[in-house]
Each structure stands twice: as C-alpha cells, then as structure tokens.
Amino acid sequence: MTKSLPSALQAALEAGTIVPRDFLWLTARNSTTGAPVTWGAWSDRGSVTAQVLNPFTGETVARDFEGAGSLVEVGRFSMVAGLAVQAIDINLSLLSDAAMSLLFGNDLRRAPVELYRGFLDPATNRLVAPAHPRFVGFVDEGPLEVPSIDEDGQGTGGGIKLTVASQTQDLMRSSSATRSDADQRRRNPDDGFFRHAATVGSWTIWWGQAKE
C-alpha cells in the first residue's frame, strides 16, 4: 500500500531541502484525580506549537512541544506491517524539569504514547506539512532505570528509561469476559441469557420417553 504525501512535502523531499525532526507526545494520568496530563517534546531547541496528524482521526491538530534536543532519546524501530508487536525504549534526562514532573507526579501505567516525524524548511524553520505519526502505543514498563549518584542523568547512560509497546499488543490479549450470569449482567442487568450457565451442564433432558 502506498502512502500519499502532501504536495509541498513531496516537492521538498525531492529537492532535498528539508530537515527531519521527531516529536514525542505522552499522556499520563494525575495520580489524585485521574485527569489526563499531556507532555510533548521535540528533537530541537525552544518550545514550539506544531501541527500533527491525529493517528486516530486523521485530522490536523496543534500541540505544544518542549525543546528537548538530546534530553530525550528514542530507540530504533522499524516501520512494519502486520501484527508484530514492537517495543522501543525512550530515555528521558533528569535535566528536563517538565519530564521529571510528568514522571514522578503522575501515573504512567499504560499511558498513551505517540511519535511523529516532521520536516522543517531550513529557510523558514517551519514545518513543510503537519508531522505524520510513526508509532502509536503505550507505556508497557517504567520507569525502569534511575541513574546512580555517579551517573550524569543524561542520554542512555542515565536518566529514566520507559519501555513502550505498540498498540498491536492489545490484539494479543485474551478477553477477561466469561460465560457466566454475573459477567453478562455487568454488561446489561436485564440480560439473563447465561442465568443457567452454571448448572445446565448437569441437566438431564428426556426426549420422547417418560421421565424415570
């Protein structure tokens, strides 16, 4: 399947006059209220409001990203098709106050993570087109590593490491639903389809003869 690109981006790619930049978007939950807490970072300096393509709706949305530069490192991953589950590591430096506030003041369990790739016009330092999604998943494990006192808290040698899994992993999970009356009533209190599920296996059905 081919992927169509905006004409402006296609022209810039063919001319070789663009500079790639990566954008990270992470949505945690407030540990007290459960309200979503978002944080964005991009691989350059300064804070920017950038347009990205929402991976779920395809709409263009504007989001704020903190200039992280080398303070955020994303492990290598492949653009693949199919049901293969991908896991990548994201390293956050202790020098990023916003990242540390997000990590230690909120709940990151299964927090949604989105990675985007955008291209800047070097003449204007603006995106040629909205950044497109490259990876969508959630925090599978983390924080995994906190640097010791003799580490610098930057890059892969220190800092905080999160392991992020692609959404494909959800397709591999078995359902927790059971064929029971209690489980069915949780979905619909008036649905008694499984009301005899626990005992029907022991029933004796008399067909065409007198019951003994």
Side-chain angles (χ1 to χ4, degrees):
M1 181 178 70
T2 60
K3 181 177 180 179
S4 60
L5 298 175
S7 56
L9 176 56
Q10 185 65 46
L13 285 170
E14 294 174 355
T17 58
I18 53 177
V19 180
R21 289 292 182 266
D22 293 315
F23 298 82
L24 166 68
W25 188 256
L26 196 156
T27 304
R29 293 179 301 278
N30 183 281
S31 299
T32 302
T33 66
V37 180
T38 58
W39 177 67
W42 75 305
S43 58
D44 209 321
R45 299 178 179 178
S47 298
V48 298
T49 299
Q51 291 188 330
V52 300
L53 292 177
N54 187 305
F56 304 105
T57 66
E59 298 178 347
T60 299
V61 295
R63 292 177 177 172
D64 296 326
F65 296 90
E66 173 189 343
S70 61
L71 299 185
V72 175
E73 293 184 353
V74 178
R76 298 178 64 88
F77 61 95
S78 302
M79 304 292 288
V80 299
L83 297 179
V85 177
Q86 291 200 69
I88 61 175
D89 292 332
I90 297 178
N91 292 278
L92 306 176
S93 169
L94 293 177
L95 300 180
S96 173
D97 293 336
M100 294 304 99
S101 175
L102 180 80
L103 289 172
F104 295 110
N106 300 282
D107 184 3
L108 283 173
R109 288 175 298 177
R110 295 187 63 80
V113 176
E114 301 164 23
L115 294 174
Y116 299 86
R117 169 62 59 87
F119 297 92
L120 301 180
D121 183 340
T124 63
N125 207 35
R126 295 180 179 275
L127 285 172
V128 176
H132 60 271
R134 303 183 71 211
F135 181 93
V136 178
F138 53 86
V139 175
D140 195 33
E141 297 181 52
L144 289 181
E145 295 180 358
V146 178
S148 61
I149 194 170
D150 59 342
E151 291 180 305
D152 60 9
Q154 301 183 63
T156 56
I160 305 299
K161 185 172 76 172
L162 304 175
T163 297
V164 179
S166 62
Q167 281 194 325
T168 312
Q169 188 178 88
D170 282 341
L171 300 177
M172 307 301 177
R173 300 182 186 274
S174 59
S175 174
S176 60
T178 60
R179 294 171 60 87
S180 68
D181 184 56
D183 189 81
Q184 191 69 17
R185 302 244 184 217
R186 278 195 292 269
R187 300 183 182 185
N188 184 347
D190 298 324
D191 189 346
F193 184 81
F194 287 113
R195 62 186 179 277
H196 300 303
T199 59
V200 69
S202 61
W203 290 3
T204 300
I205 308 299
W206 303 93
W207 295 99
Q209 58 183 332
K211 180 177 178 181
E212 296 180 358

